[in-house]
Amino acid sequence: MTTTTSRLPTYFISHGGGPWPWMKKEMGPAYDLLAASLADMPRQLGRTPRAVLMVSAHWEAPAFTVMANPHPPMVYDYGGFPAHTYQVRYDAPGAPDLALRVKSLIEAAGLPAHSDAERGFDHGAFSPMAAIYPAADVPMVQLSLRRGLDPAEHLALGRALAPLRDEDVLIIGSGLSYHNLRAFGPQAREPSKAFDDWLDRAVVGATGGTRDAALLDWASAPAARIAHPREEHLIPLMVAVGAAAGDAGERVYHEDAFMGGLAVSSFRFGG
């Protein structure tokens, strides 16, 4: 595979809610800080990658499943939003060659892998990418989580995918550092801060095996099950950390009052 002179970092991003980039009129400035942080990613990278591998919280499958569609359609996997948001388009090309490479790396690590030639982009992918690469001119492949959401398995997945960083592929885990739809707003201020503070210590304050061990035991963190009653929005972080190996982490986005009271963050590893 083609290598580059510098290894790309990996990211775990908080991707926001639903089709927010197309709701500026309805949302006002609520997403300005998140949008700015995502839009800054190309500057941080210093070059345009040949493709993005996106691991979204919104796709789970029995085996790790990679999108092989050369022209991915849209998956409007949300409800209750304005009618126009069910017509939005993010027409980035797929990358079947990358899909094959991803599948082979996963299989070589002894993990179950499938491909899906029909799958399209869900909002965990197309919403943040509309801010990162608004021209939709960077090929993107999505990779599912595996049902069961085993942290160790997803760390192992990240380790299997690490060679892609030297092949000019940007690995992004897309979720939310706090995701409890029944506890948003001011009531979530304290638990979201407690968990976010722990998360920053776990992934920025440590590296390597110490960091992995903290993430494996994430459910013991302060307010963990308030922040994540179900952990699908946290598990993409495990993939980003696994692919990061011993590279240090940095918090590249943070706010304490997102959506009326949430502490939320995004992280970069390496680079």
Side-chain angles (χ1 to χ4, degrees), residues 193-226:
K193 184 180 187 308
F195 185 75
D196 198 78
D197 287 349
W198 172 86
L199 193 61
D200 187 54
R201 292 193 301 271
V203 303
V204 175
T207 58
T210 302
R211 181 168 61 194
D212 289 356
L215 291 178
L216 289 173
D217 194 34
W218 75 270
S220 298
R225 282 299 181 186
I226 300 175

Side-chain angles (χ1 to χ4, degrees), residues 85-128:
T85 65
Y86 299 88
Q87 305 296 323
V88 302
R89 301 292 308 174
Y90 188 80
D91 289 325
D97 58 336
L98 175 58
L100 286 173
R101 174 68 171 148
V102 169
K103 186 171 182 286
S104 69
L105 287 171
I106 298 171
E107 290 172 335
L111 298 169
H114 290 164
S115 62
D116 186 330
E118 304 299 326
R119 172 76 186 192
F121 298 137
D122 62 54
H123 81 269
F126 67 73
S127 287

Side-chain angles (χ1 to χ4, degrees), residues 55-147:
V55 183
S56 167
H58 292 278
W59 187 15
E60 298 174 41
F64 294 116
T65 303
V66 60
M67 171 195 291
N69 196 325
H71 304 289
M74 302 290 283
V75 178
Y76 301 113
D77 57 336
Y78 41 76
F81 288 90
H84 76 270
T85 65
Y86 299 88
Q87 305 296 323
V88 302
R89 301 292 308 174
Y90 188 80
D91 289 325
D97 58 336
L98 175 58
L100 286 173
R101 174 68 171 148
V102 169
K103 186 171 182 286
S104 69
L105 287 171
I106 298 171
E107 290 172 335
L111 298 169
H114 290 164
S115 62
D116 186 330
E118 304 299 326
R119 172 76 186 192
F121 298 137
D122 62 54
H123 81 269
F126 67 73
S127 287
M129 284 291 282
I132 301 168
Y133 293 116
D137 53 355
V138 178
M140 178 165 58
V141 167
Q142 275 196 243
L143 175 63
S144 79
L145 304 176
R146 190 181 184 200
R147 288 178 189 162

Side-chain angles (χ1 to χ4, degrees), residues 21 26 30 33 39 46 78 92 95 115 119 122 145 152 167 170 176-177 180 184 200 219 223 225 232 244:
E26 292 87 353
L33 290 177
Y78 41 76
S115 62
R119 172 76 186 192
D122 62 54
L145 304 176
E167 298 169 15
L170 178 62
L176 278 168
S177 60
N180 184 342
F184 261 40
D200 187 54
R225 282 299 181 186
E232 80 284 348

